Amino acid sequence: MSASSRGWPAMQAVISGSLNICSRCATSFTRVRVPVRLYSATTTTTSSDASLNTAVPPLSTRARPAYDVRSGIILTRPPLLTRKLHPFENAFFFYQKRLEERLNTPFITNIYFKPDTARQLDWNLKVEEREGTAAKDIGTYNGKSSRAWNDELKVGDELSSQESVLNSLLKDAEARVSDDAEVIAPEDVVPVERPMERASEADKKGDVKRLDRQLERTLYLVVKGKDAWGFPADRVAKDENLHEAAQRVLDQAAGVNMNTWVVGRVPVAHVVKPPVHGADGSVQTRGQKTFFLKGRIMAGQADLKDNPFGYTDFKWLTREELEKELSPEYFRGVRNMMSAR
């Protein structure tokens, strides 16, 4: 008797719980007890052994899980400025500019400026000061002359630094010729206003509650609870999903005077706090499983006034600052969702 021919009768015997004996191969199938899960809280069996006829206790009499499911929000402010370049990157980009200047065709002034206009006079004056170099921020360039072999920068040259490039662009933006095509005296040249510094007033004062700090980095909102610092979170209520709970927590904890956006409906991190058991094995303090969703803030500021969670303070911190503020176990649970900058 082949395995395929006796496979289905054997399966029928197992399902029905009866005793079948194959006459051809003399293979005995012992009685198997298969529980049948009904929609009620009880379970029926087909075994003749009365000791095996045990019923599943109703849900109301079962031990409750030792964990509370919580939902939280990791509210972030993205970087507002591009990061500061490494000196090697500055030198590489500077080299690329000089290489493009070498390969480009000569700049034809008559195509871009009308003859005998203030714009043409201003251009000619600035190009003469740059010794014929059309580019504004690469310094004196010898790529198209007999000294082309000697146009490389030496190690440590500050010409390729961001500060030097900025000064060159600001100087070129100054108007050197008036609208009447008259050359402006050097003492009458109006300097161009410099852009704001990367370090804001909040950075200088060390104010961790302002959103205009660490403009090159991602900031995360943390609040101070009864025990320690963490992200806003609360227990998920009945008939409430994680996304709805996270939005509710954000509104109740930090106020509604913020323009925020919860990114997606899938948690990006979770933290588990195990329950505390007594000597007899009973649960003295229930554990917590907190799932965090990610959010973005576009405008506004956090306001903890009259929040129902007992939060007393808040901070906007970077990843490195969070590692110092949060507990090691808490930080390990959320660190993988944090960006490098």
Side-chain angles (χ1 to χ4, degrees), residues 80-82 84 162-163 166 170 192-204 210 212-213 215-216:
L80 303 180
L81 298 178
T82 56
K84 190 175 181 179
Q162 286 185 311
E163 187 66 21
L166 176 61
L170 292 176
V192 178
E193 184 179 359
R194 296 181 63 88
M196 297 180 63
E197 299 180 2
R198 288 178 171 265
S200 63
E201 182 181 356
D203 292 324
K204 297 177 182 178
R210 292 175 54 171
D212 59 343
R213 65 181 298 264
L215 301 179
E216 302 177 10

Side-chain angles (χ1 to χ4, degrees), residues 285-324:
T285 303
R286 295 173 59 81
Q288 297 176 353
K289 293 185 178 182
T290 307
F291 299 88
F292 294 102
L293 280 77
K294 190 174 183 179
R296 290 285 197 186
I297 180 172
M298 278 71 75
Q301 179 58 287
D303 183 9
L304 303 184
K305 183 179 179 180
D306 300 331
N307 74 87
F309 308 116
Y311 298 141
T312 58
D313 199 3
F314 72 92
K315 295 180 181 179
W316 290 97
L317 303 179
T318 62
R319 177 190 175 97
E320 291 76 15
E321 294 169 340
L322 280 177
E323 187 174 4
K324 299 177 182 179

Side-chain angles (χ1 to χ4, degrees), residues 261-292:
W261 169 46
V262 179
V263 183
R265 297 172 177 262
V266 180
V268 296
H270 78 284
V271 174
V272 178
K273 183 179 179 180
V276 178
H277 296 275
D280 57 350
S282 61
V283 178
Q284 295 183 345
T285 303
R286 295 173 59 81
Q288 297 176 353
K289 293 185 178 182
T290 307
F291 299 88
F292 294 102

Side-chain angles (χ1 to χ4, degrees), residues 52-96:
L52 297 177
N53 292 330
T54 58
V56 178
L59 292 176
S60 59
T61 62
R62 297 183 192 177
R64 295 180 59 190
Y67 288 91
D68 291 333
V69 178
R70 293 160 51 89
S71 178
I73 183 73
I74 301 179
L75 192 64
T76 63
R77 188 225 65 189
L80 303 180
L81 298 178
T82 56
R83 65 177 178 84
K84 190 175 181 179
L85 296 180
H86 188 273
F88 176 80
E89 294 175 314
N90 285 325
F92 176 79
F93 293 144
F94 193 87
Y95 169 78
Q96 288 288 87

Side-chain angles (χ1 to χ4, degrees), residues 220-275:
Y220 303 87
L221 175 65
V222 289
V223 292
K224 186 177 183 180
K226 298 179 181 179
D227 300 328
W229 289 89
F231 299 115
D234 187 28
R235 183 177 178 180
V236 178
K238 184 179 180 181
D239 299 331
E240 188 180 40
N241 57 37
L242 293 177
H243 179 268
E244 295 171 344
Q247 185 64 60
R248 173 181 59 82
V249 168
L250 180 60
D251 294 339
Q252 294 179 348
V256 295
N257 296 324
M258 294 189 300
N259 184 6
T260 59
W261 169 46
V262 179
V263 183
R265 297 172 177 262
V266 180
V268 296
H270 78 284
V271 174
V272 178
K273 183 179 179 180

